[in-house]
Amino acid sequence: MTRVLLTGGSGFIAVHVLEALLTQGHSVVTSVRSEAKAQMLRDTFPNIGKDQLDFVYVADIAQEGAFDEAVKSDPPFEWVIHTASPFHFNITDPQKDLLDPAIIGTTGILKAIKKNAPTVKRVVVTSSFAAIFSPKTGNRPDHTYSENDWNPITLEEAIQDPSSGYRASKTFAEKAAWDFVEKERPNFQIATVWCPQKSNPGRTHRGLQMNPPMVFGPIHPKLQTLDTINTSNQRIRDMMLGKMQDEIPQSGVHVWVDVRDLALAHVRAAERREAAGKRFFVTAGYFSNRELADHIHELLPEVKIAAKGGEFPAEYFKYDNSRTRDILGINFRSLKNMVKDTIPTLQALGA
């Protein structure tokens, strides 16, 4: 049994990571913002005792020193999986409201681990597809996105508007994590999963980062309402509620992953020695809103969904997820199976 600190445990991705860790018998302490969030998780996993699931309260991860006490544990932690990200309300200043909190939220926990948790051997950080997608390259069919890509956005571009600020915040936060390990040389290395590189075999702490695209999949009803489900699943909800009877909109991003596969990728990134010091692009492949609609209509023929719109574009970028398949051993679920498993969880909330 490995002792694990999981940050942001009530989040959509994090609760699936938590479920995967508990299923494998690990002992988890997860950070939450409030006792109410902790109780929701206790209710979600009612048969799990305090020895396997406990909580630490971190109200604002963007505050300096927010994790200084959270990383202390008896027995001590061996892994840290960092999925938490700052809340963003009423963005008026991209630097203050987006960039600074994202960077502090990521580097803050790395500083705390280095200072107060010398037993930690692995750190896995959740990043975003925004950290690799380049608006300048865009959807060019001659480009293959992989762990080698970085969003080239500059600080000058980042502060122009909230949308640019958001994309930059994900990019700068991940780069800050890699820079921290390079300069501070702590007991650990990092790795990132974006829904997904370097390695430093001379150090004992292994870090990883994940960067996801669109993240679909079953929800835990005790933690969500139809109004608070994650953005990706909202389009499934809206189709089920008959809100796309006239025309189906374009998908925007056309790569996706099932949240359960993404969660397993986080756990395997912590477990597997060869995953140390690497980025992982975690995607199952392509999808379109049209495909989603067709699968939903097949399972729920009474639901009225438009017969037009939402098709896959004529040209689109390529992707390379071979590192995730080869090193983490992820066998991705199909879009149809994801829809089949997600529909009942949304129905439980009234969809």
Side-chain angles (χ1 to χ4, degrees), residues 216 232 235-236 239 248 251 256 287-298 305 310 335 338-339:
F216 298 110
S232 299
R235 65 186 66 189
I236 299 177
M239 290 179 187
I248 298 173
S251 308
W256 76 287
F287 86 102
S288 69
N289 280 349
R290 176 78 265 159
E291 288 181 89
L292 278 180
D294 290 345
H295 290 315
I296 291 170
H297 187 66
E298 179 182 352
I305 303 177
L335 192 72
M338 178 279 295
V339 172

Side-chain angles (χ1 to χ4, degrees), residues 209-240:
Q209 181 141 0
M210 308 300 230
N211 303 314
M214 300 298 290
V215 184
F216 298 110
I219 63 170
H220 287 273
K222 293 183 184 298
L223 295 171
Q224 302 290 335
T225 68
L226 283 182
D227 293 330
T228 62
I229 62 174
N230 66 305
T231 303
S232 299
N233 274 335
Q234 287 174 14
R235 65 186 66 189
I236 299 177
R237 173 203 65 189
D238 290 348
M239 290 179 187
M240 292 174 61

Side-chain angles (χ1 to χ4, degrees), residues 102-104 106-107 110 150 170-182 190:
I103 294 169
I104 293 171
T106 299
T107 58
L110 300 180
W150 283 100
K170 299 300 184 182
T171 306
F172 295 170
E174 185 182 344
K175 286 187 173 181
W178 291 112
D179 288 345
F180 178 89
V181 172
E182 181 73 16
I190 66 154

Side-chain angles (χ1 to χ4, degrees), residues 20-43:
L21 288 167
L22 294 175
T23 299
Q24 294 187 21
H26 298 301
S27 173
V28 184
V29 175
T30 185
S31 72
V32 290
R33 291 187 174 94
S34 66
E35 169 58 26
K37 295 288 187 182
Q39 189 57 50
M40 288 180 184
L41 287 170
R42 292 188 192 100
D43 293 342

Side-chain angles (χ1 to χ4, degrees), residues 159-227:
I159 61 177
Q160 296 303 309
D161 57 78
S163 178
S164 298
Y166 171 80
R167 292 193 299 270
S169 73
K170 299 300 184 182
T171 306
F172 295 170
E174 185 182 344
K175 286 187 173 181
W178 291 112
D179 288 345
F180 178 89
V181 172
E182 181 73 16
K183 295 174 183 177
E184 298 294 326
R185 298 182 63 82
N187 299 355
F188 59 88
Q189 291 178 326
I190 66 154
T192 62
V193 177
W194 3 287
C195 305
Q197 40 241 24
K198 49 195 175 184
S199 63
N200 185 356
R203 309 304 292 177
T204 58
H205 185 166
R206 300 287 187 251
L208 314 151
Q209 181 141 0
M210 308 300 230
N211 303 314
M214 300 298 290
V215 184
F216 298 110
I219 63 170
H220 287 273
K222 293 183 184 298
L223 295 171
Q224 302 290 335
T225 68
L226 283 182
D227 293 330

Side-chain angles (χ1 to χ4, degrees), residues 240-276:
M240 292 174 61
L241 293 175
K243 294 183 178 182
M244 296 188 188
Q245 296 185 31
D246 298 325
E247 185 173 5
I248 298 173
Q250 288 301 311
S251 308
V253 176
H254 286 274
V255 287
W256 76 287
V257 67
D258 187 302
V259 67
R260 295 166 294 182
D261 295 332
L262 177 58
L264 182 59
H266 281 77
V267 176
R268 288 187 176 171
E271 289 176 335
R272 299 195 172 186
R273 182 176 182 180
E274 61 270 31

